[in-house]
Amino acid sequence: MKYGYFDDKKREYVITRPDTPAPWVNYLGDPEYGAIVSNNAGGYSFVKSGANGRILRYVFNQFDEPGRYIYLRDNETKDFWSASWQPVGKDLEKYKSECHHGTAYTRMMADYSGIHSEVRYYVPLGQSYEVWSLCVENCSDKEREINVTGYAEFTNNSNYEQDQVNLQYSQYITKTVFRGNRVRQMIHANLDRLDEGEKVDNKDVTNRFLGLAGVPVDSWCGEKEAFLGRYHGYGNPVGVIDGKLNCEGNYNENSCGALTAVLKLAPGEKKEMAFLVGMKKNDEAEAIVARYDQNCQQVCERELEELISYWHGQLSHFQIKTPSNEFNTMINTWNAYNCFMTFIWSRAASFTYCGLRNGYGYRDTVQDIQGVIHLAPEMAADKIRFMLSAQVDNGGGLPLVKFTHNPGHEDTPDDASYVQETGHPAYRADDALWLFPTVYKYVSETGNVDFIDEVIPFANKDEGTVYEHLKRAIQFSMEHLGKHGMPAGLYADWNDCLRLGKDGESTFVALQFYYAMTILKEFAAYEKDEEYISYLEKSQEKLGELIEKLCWNEDRFIRGFTEAGEIIGQRTDPEANMWLNPQSWAVISGLATKEQSELALEQVYERLNTEYGAILMDPPYHAHAFDGALAVIYNAGTKENAGIFSQSQGWIILAEALMGHGERAFGYFMENAPAAQNDKAEIRRLEPYCYGQFTEGKASPNFGRSHVHWLTGTASTVMVGCVEGILGMRPDFYGLRIAPSIPKEWDGFEVEKDFRGCHLHIKVQNPGHAESGFKKLTVNGEELKDNYIPQDKLTAETEVELYLS
Ligand code: IFM
């Protein structure tokens, strides 16, 4: 079933049926002011932190309520509806609507009883408040009097938990008043006698507002229950039914902002206005509303244009044209925007994450960076610096990097204080190893090899060059080896549900470690660090031999060893005998021989692949889980217990592509690509334009249903799998290799890529319908000897033509 379509020109997803199987949401704003809005206007806003800066209330797991509601009422018939289908939920035979989610804005159009409305929700670029820009038009042939009411449900406390559960406190600190064209909410208003900067019990007055610009306010309300009315709900608030709000504020109940304007519209006439919401002092709020009051339409138009041109500009650095619309729309717009959102928000705020995690997960964040390197490498570099500054001087990563991170002064998992504050009791085996591909990708994208000489502090004390940081990460793994001499599993590896312990060993980490040494050898060569190169060569050879000897099991790589020496993931195990990640990573790391790679990938295809992607392992744990197999707590076919863990899909795409298997690589992409399931919304449920953390596997009765939208490592790994793998864009320190792996049926494809200050027009031709390979490459008409373009061949506008066959 289909609920909408992609408008690729405008980079919008257009929802044509509002009764979607789940809230389909969009992200507005930036780290200063975040806002999430669903296709039915459900959602919330926050300043800096979803947990501690929450302005608008949203009740999780509760049918997408409340939200940024705009009600319309015909004062003659007393009939009312909303600018989004919900919350009033009119009969869809009579109520026609569209919701356009774009890059950092959402537009909703509705037509009902001869009245057309269009609301545009956005956060102006660089500002920390939000705008609900509204146009109401009378399309009927008689004059109409229409009440417009904007409703914003404020939290009583900026802390999400306090607002939701500590009612004996949070209700008694909040009140609202009216100020000309605004409802002003104050929290801890009784502290208003304090001087600037003074605090009582660390608290001062917090101010929020809902303002209306462009039209005069006729009536207002500042208290939720008075607005809704007891035994009423968001779909039939008494304030809207009555046609006039009570003009009273809140004192010791739930605060809200509700403002009504009365519009008299001649036939064909339209009126523009804007509701404004934020957390601002009274005079700042007054100035904000005033800015929109005179030329509301022009101001909003200009701000939206700025926003669109900023985001479209970011996406323009890498654009493709292939025979697959699904692939184009994901790479050009939606996967890319998804990558930016995970890059910005990590796992902080969505309809699944409420923001209570008070920091960045180390591995998640270092992985997320990879998804934006080809689009915004310098933005990525800043985050890489930040993550390097969260590496402990022993080389390990801080499992959780606090939002208040203070490089050089942090405590670590070795300190009880860190454990108590973050809930992370120990180091994880993989965290710092993610730095290797991420730093390598940044340096290769930009050619800025000197980056590795930049000095960056460690999290707890001291500082070192990026090169030194990477060496310490190697040292960390070297100092945490298990019984056989492979990297220990520690508290977890990539798989949070696999606790192999300090003497157990992880094949995945061993493969990451092997790969890390390959990368570091390249940096060491640049540094002319001969002694270290020979150390890495010997260590890598030894590790390689161990992995070969201990982990290859006829046609697959095992998953590791428990502390007791039990093998995980061997062919004969009754459960979890085939794991996805060790197979893909054996290829990505460069460890597996060609024969092993072919065999292992074939096993993945036969044993793990499904129509919605490859499952993480099989069969699911049920009766034979070892102590550290935490995945058994999940229902079979769910998350790490044999779910289709979508992040791993990116790695299998990459592995197949590296082997030149274009058909398979693209097949894996399509199986789990949101856009490719646009007509299966009733099965997938999640938005068809963003990735989810996992899809229920074949052991689930809901096979194909997907969960945990937007903020997932899937966005970046699939992006890398597609850009480096399928499209074959593989820069290194000194140039760009182009080695696509594509479906045979493609005649070719085109890429527009900004690269090191030049613009590349890349045309790949495939007349012989190969799935990979190389026949000829020309750069600005000059034929080169293979598929590698050295940096000195690049010109401001570089024409590249590659023949695969
Ligand atoms: O790798 C982890 C990630 O850090 C958090 N979500 C689950 C993934 C797999 O366990």
Side-chain angles (χ1 to χ4, degrees):
M1 212 181 273
K2 231 187 206 170
Y3 291 79
Y5 65 91
F6 291 90
D7 180 340
D8 288 326
K9 255 207 174 107
K10 292 203 174 112
R11 300 189 192 277
E12 288 180 344
Y13 184 82
V14 182
I15 298 166
T16 47
R17 274 186 65 168
D19 55 340
T20 49
W24 284 3
V25 316
N26 198 12
Y27 276 79
L28 320 174
D30 63 22
E32 288 302 307
Y33 189 96
I36 305 176
V37 64
S38 79
N39 55 315
N40 276 304
Y44 60 95
S45 320
F46 53 92
V47 172
K48 292 194 169 90
S49 158
N52 297 313
R54 190 70 70 92
I55 303 176
L56 291 189
R57 182 178 288 150
Y58 183 76
V59 182
F60 279 69
N61 215 1
Q62 186 55 40
F63 285 119
D64 197 20
E65 287 179 336
R68 298 171 180 83
Y69 296 146
I70 296 176
Y71 298 91
L72 299 154
R73 177 185 191 267
D74 184 322
N75 287 343
E76 190 189 330
T77 63
K78 300 187 176 47
D79 190 13
F80 63 92
W81 62 101
S82 38
S84 44
W85 178 52
Q86 294 294 323
V88 178
K90 284 293 187 189
D91 179 352
L92 288 175
E93 287 298 313
K94 296 186 188 136
Y95 181 97
K96 299 291 162 204
S97 71
E98 275 190 1
C99 168
H100 295 222
H101 284 316
T103 47
Y105 68 89
T106 286
R107 303 193 286 143
M108 293 179 195
M109 279 76 96
D111 285 282
Y112 181 76
S113 77
I115 298 294
H116 175 78
S117 62
E118 175 169 350
V119 55
R120 298 175 298 184
Y121 296 103
Y122 66 94
V123 176
L125 206 58
Q127 301 296 337
S128 50
Y129 60 87
E130 66 190 71
V131 182
W132 313 352
S133 143
L134 177 71
C135 175
V136 181
E137 184 179 356
N138 178 3
C139 302
S140 70
D141 51 12
K142 59 175 189 173
E143 190 178 274
R144 306 283 290 272
E145 188 182 290
I146 304 291
N147 270 11
V148 172
T149 303
Y151 175 76
E153 188 164 319
F154 297 122
T155 54
N156 286 331
N157 192 308
S158 300
N159 179 278
Y160 162 74
E161 243 177 343
Q162 289 290 315
D163 176 60
Q164 290 289 302
V165 298
N166 196 4
L167 302 188
Q168 64 81 25
Y169 160 65
S170 55
Q171 277 197 331
Y172 309 114
I173 55 174
T174 170
K175 66 180 187 183
T176 50
V177 292
F178 183 64
R179 293 283 175 265
N181 52 11
R182 307 181 304 287
V183 174
R184 176 184 180 195
Q185 184 205 21
M186 288 163 289
I187 298 172
H188 298 126
N190 208 39
L191 301 179
D192 61 351
R193 290 302 168 95
L194 294 178
D195 282 336
E196 181 104 30
E198 246 183 283
K199 287 182 194 290
V200 171
D201 191 24
N202 215 21
K203 297 177 175 68
D204 54 11
V205 188
T206 302
N207 285 278
R208 283 91 164 266
F209 72 99
L210 168 78
L212 176 59
V215 290
V217 173
D218 178 72
S219 59
W220 69 282
C221 175
E223 199 228 287
K224 170 185 169 179
E225 196 168 305
F227 174 74
L228 293 182
R230 189 142 287 260
Y231 310 114
H232 286 247
Y234 298 107
N236 59 352
V238 290
V240 174
I241 293 172
D242 291 352
K244 197 148 189 97
L245 303 175
N246 68 351
C247 296
E248 283 180 25
N250 166 47
Y251 194 94
N252 291 341
E253 295 275 356
N254 287 295
S255 288
C256 77
L259 294 169
T260 295
V262 183
L263 311 182
K264 285 201 168 44
L265 297 170
E269 190 183 357
K270 50 174 142 173
K271 284 222 164 99
E272 308 271 349
M273 69 216 77
F275 290 96
L276 300 133
V277 176
M279 180 146 93
K280 296 282 176 191
K281 291 197 177 123
N282 195 39
D283 52 344
E284 292 170 310
E286 186 177 4
I288 290 170
V289 182
R291 265 201 332 112
Y292 294 82
D293 216 23
Q294 291 313 311
N295 300 308
C296 194
Q297 189 193 358
Q298 289 90 322
V299 176
C300 294
E301 288 297 336
R302 204 186 50 236
E303 287 180 340
L304 271 158
E305 273 165 28
E306 262 173 28
L307 201 57
I308 291 170
S309 96
Y310 171 78
W311 278 108
H312 289 196
Q314 291 287 46
L315 303 179
S316 71
H317 300 301
F318 189 88
Q319 291 292 295
I320 62 168
K321 206 197 285 175
T322 74
S324 163
N325 290 336
E326 293 85 358
F327 194 59
N328 297 344
T329 200
M330 290 310 296
I331 301 303
N332 290 340
T333 301
W334 290 102
N335 189 3
Y337 191 61
N338 199 167
C339 284
F340 276 113
M341 293 305 110
T342 53
F343 179 83
I344 293 172
W345 298 116
S346 183
R347 307 297 174 268
S350 69
F351 280 11
T352 318
Y353 294 107
C354 68
L356 282 175
R357 188 180 185 191
N358 60 347
Y360 300 96
Y362 201 91
R363 81 164 75 91
D364 294 350
T365 307
V366 178
Q367 290 164 354
D368 291 345
I369 295 170
Q370 294 183 14
V372 303
I373 287 176
H374 65 302
L375 295 166
E378 293 315 320
M379 197 191 259
D382 282 342
K383 201 62 148 284
I384 294 175
R385 291 182 183 100
F386 176 76
M387 293 313 291
L388 285 163
S389 83
Q391 190 188 4
V392 181
D393 68 335
N394 68 7
L398 288 175
L400 191 87
V401 186
K402 294 177 221 157
F403 289 138
T404 55
H405 180 60
N406 185 7
H409 303 279
E410 288 294 339
D411 44 10
T412 75
D414 298 321
D415 302 308
S417 49
Y418 179 87
V419 177
Q420 198 183 1
E421 200 181 338
T422 64
H424 283 269
Y427 290 100
R428 299 182 303 195
D430 63 322
D431 277 329
L433 292 176
W434 292 105
L435 289 168
F436 290 87
T438 304
V439 172
Y440 180 82
K441 285 177 206 304
Y442 163 71
V443 169
S444 302
E445 184 66 34
T446 56
N448 177 17
V449 195
D450 291 341
F451 179 68
I452 63 162
D453 293 326
E454 230 178 274
V455 175
I456 291 177
F458 287 99
N460 51 336
K461 60 173 157 60
D462 299 342
E463 59 181 23
T465 59
V466 173
Y467 181 56
E468 177 62 27
H469 276 259
L470 296 179
K471 285 169 90 171
R472 299 263 183 112
I474 295 287
Q475 185 188 330
F476 178 88
S477 293
M478 281 297 189
E479 286 171 358
H480 293 85
L481 299 176
K483 280 187 185 147
H484 302 96
M486 291 205 329
L490 304 185
Y491 196 63
D493 66 5
W494 169 85
N495 188 327
D496 282 334
C497 295
L498 205 56
R499 202 156 290 165
L500 294 165
K502 72 177 174 32
D503 287 323
E505 289 156 309
S506 157
T507 312
F508 191 170
V509 180
L511 293 164
Q512 279 187 281
F513 192 30
Y514 184 90
Y515 186 42
M517 290 196 235
T518 304
I519 290 171
L520 197 50
K521 275 194 284 183
E522 288 197 42
F523 285 121
Y526 183 77
E527 295 282 297
K528 303 195 174 42
D529 192 348
E530 298 304 332
E531 206 178 313
Y532 195 63
I533 294 176
S534 96
Y535 165 76
L536 285 176
E537 273 168 356
K538 278 190 213 119
S539 308
Q540 194 185 32
E541 194 184 332
K542 193 166 153 205
L543 177 67
E545 282 166 9
L546 270 179
I547 302 174
E548 283 289 352
K549 185 168 127 222
L550 299 170
C551 304
W552 178 245
N553 183 214
E554 286 183 41
D555 54 5
R556 70 197 65 189
F557 286 90
I558 60 159
R559 188 62 177 79
F561 298 89
T562 66
E563 295 220 283
E566 188 189 341
I567 301 175
I568 305 302
Q570 61 185 334
R571 302 178 87 236
T572 48
D573 289 347
E575 292 172 357
N577 55 34
M578 178 71 196
W579 291 72
L580 175 60
N581 290 332
Q583 321 314 325
S584 54
W585 269 84
V587 178
I588 295 168
S589 66
L591 171 117
T593 61
K594 175 143 190 343
E595 196 195 347
Q596 285 172 330
S597 302
E598 298 287 0
L599 270 169
L601 293 182
E602 194 53 36
Q603 282 302 305
V604 168
Y605 193 72
E606 273 172 29
R607 291 283 324 281
L608 301 180
N609 195 34
T610 74
E611 62 192 286
Y612 300 114
I615 46 183
L616 191 63
M617 53 79 152
D618 200 48
Y621 278 124
H622 179 53
H624 299 274
F626 69 99
D627 274 355
L630 307 188
V632 71
I633 57 178
Y634 291 122
N635 292 330
T638 305
K639 289 177 72 104
E640 285 92 338
N641 197 15
I644 297 162
F645 215 95
S646 307
Q647 187 179 11
S648 298
Q649 205 71 12
W651 296 322
I652 194 70
I653 292 171
L654 182 60
E656 290 285 8
L658 291 173
M659 294 299 294
H661 301 160
E663 290 280 330
R664 285 264 167 97
F666 192 72
Y668 283 122
F669 165 81
M670 286 295 277
E671 286 164 3
N672 206 245
Q677 293 181 47
N678 192 36
D679 56 356
K680 290 189 195 149
E682 77 288 6
I683 298 173
R684 183 172 194 266
R685 284 222 195 151
L686 283 195
E687 297 91 331
Y689 46 87
C690 73
Y691 279 102
Q693 184 200 59
F694 76 100
T695 300
E696 290 177 58
K698 59 186 187 200
S700 158
N702 306 305
F703 178 40
R705 188 168 65 181
S706 298
H707 301 268
V708 193
H709 64 172
W710 280 97
L711 303 185
T712 158
T714 313
S716 63
T717 52
V718 174
M719 181 57 96
V720 170
C722 293
V723 172
E724 272 183 38
I726 295 173
L727 297 164
M729 302 292 136
R730 301 189 197 147
D732 67 12
F733 297 174
Y734 310 108
L736 174 67
R737 186 171 303 284
I738 308 181
S741 278
I742 56 174
K744 281 184 191 150
E745 67 180 29
W746 286 12
D747 292 326
F749 64 90
E750 289 175 45
V751 176
E752 299 291 327
K753 176 172 169 58
D754 289 333
F755 186 59
R756 303 185 185 182
C758 304
H759 183 79
L760 277 52
H761 314 266
I762 302 169
K763 207 168 184 171
V764 175
Q765 309 270 22
N766 189 25
H769 292 279
E771 54 177 336
S772 56
F774 167 73
K775 194 166 176 205
K776 181 177 161 190
L777 173 75
T778 62
V779 175
N780 292 329
E782 180 192 348
E783 186 165 345
L784 303 188
K785 65 177 184 336
D786 61 8
N787 60 355
Y788 185 73
I789 310 173
Q791 156 98 36
D792 63 7
K793 298 284 175 201
L794 300 175
T795 52
E797 296 291 326
T798 309
E799 297 290 338
V800 178
E801 196 164 18
L802 174 81
Y803 280 83
L804 282 191
S805 55

